[in-house]
Amino acid sequence: MCPDIISEAEKLFGISGCGMSYAAQEGEADEAFTSCDYLELQKQQNEDWAKSIAQSVPDSIKDGDWREVLDKLGHALSLDPKCATALGRRAQIYIRTGRISHAQADIKSLERLEVNVEHLQRQVDEYIRGKRRSERHHDSSPSRRSEKRESSTPKSQI
């Protein structure tokens, strides 16, 4: 076992107490391995990978690429379910694609992580307002009014 690897890992991941002195390691290699909290190292590595994956996702995505991006973000979240970058980007994609309930679930997860979600909630509100305006406009169009009159006329009069 190389003492430099452990001390470098401690520095890299900001974890202390993993390594032992080289003298102690020579006679007690098994203890050196068990003294290090490898689960903590793995957790840190997963968090770093998840953030890296989430940051690699492009901000502007063509319509056909949503599924691939959502898959990448899902992978990032499988590594670290608390990755705020992945949750935030996935929420934005859900908003853009009209999957508001999914976006709101990610927003709630971000709130539990104490992340400011005002901008995401604003985007959800804007999407909902825009959809309502669109529906009102569609309902008030001349062809739609004609359809409503026809549907309200009793069938016996037709």
Side-chain angles (χ1 to χ4, degrees):
M1 180 168 113
C2 178
D4 295 335
I5 292 174
I6 291 177
S7 61
E8 289 303 312
E10 288 176 343
K11 290 179 203 171
L12 179 66
F13 295 114
I15 301 169
S16 61
C18 277
M20 297 171 55
S21 70
Y22 184 70
Q25 289 175 12
E26 281 185 359
E28 305 166 9
D30 289 338
E31 286 183 44
F33 281 113
T34 59
S35 71
C36 186
D37 187 359
Y38 287 102
L39 292 177
E40 186 61 34
L41 287 172
Q42 182 181 25
K43 179 182 174 220
Q44 182 66 46
Q45 185 178 35
N46 286 349
E47 289 171 0
D48 292 344
W49 282 342
K51 189 173 182 180
S52 176
I53 291 168
Q55 289 174 338
S56 73
V57 172
D59 287 331
S60 60
I61 303 162
K62 296 178 183 176
D63 288 334
D65 299 329
W66 295 112
R67 181 171 300 286
E68 181 182 339
V69 172
L70 287 172
D71 287 347
K72 284 183 180 180
L73 293 171
H75 177 67
L77 289 165
S78 72
L79 292 170
D80 178 16
K82 296 178 180 180
C83 180
T85 304
L87 285 166
R89 289 191 176 208
R90 190 171 72 173
Q92 288 177 330
I93 291 171
Y94 284 149
I95 293 166
R96 291 177 192 164
T97 58
R99 298 168 72 184
I100 300 304
S101 62
H102 293 300
Q104 289 173 325
D106 283 348
I107 290 169
K108 284 183 182 173
S109 294
L110 287 165
E111 286 175 332
R112 283 192 292 273
L113 296 172
E114 299 180 5
V115 173
N116 183 342
V117 295
E118 288 177 25
H119 65 290
L120 290 170
Q121 193 57 55
R122 199 170 23 256
Q123 289 176 18
V124 167
D125 295 342
E126 288 171 10
Y127 177 87
I128 291 170
R129 277 194 303 274
K131 189 170 181 173
R132 286 181 186 153
R133 275 193 302 270
S134 174
E135 288 171 355
R136 279 195 305 265
H137 176 70
H138 178 71
D139 287 346
S140 65
S141 68
S143 63
R144 186 74 178 143
R145 282 192 301 247
S146 156
E147 289 173 17
K148 282 185 179 180
R149 277 194 301 267
E150 289 174 12
S151 68
S152 64
T153 306
K155 295 204 183 268
S156 60
Q157 293 180 5
I158 296 180

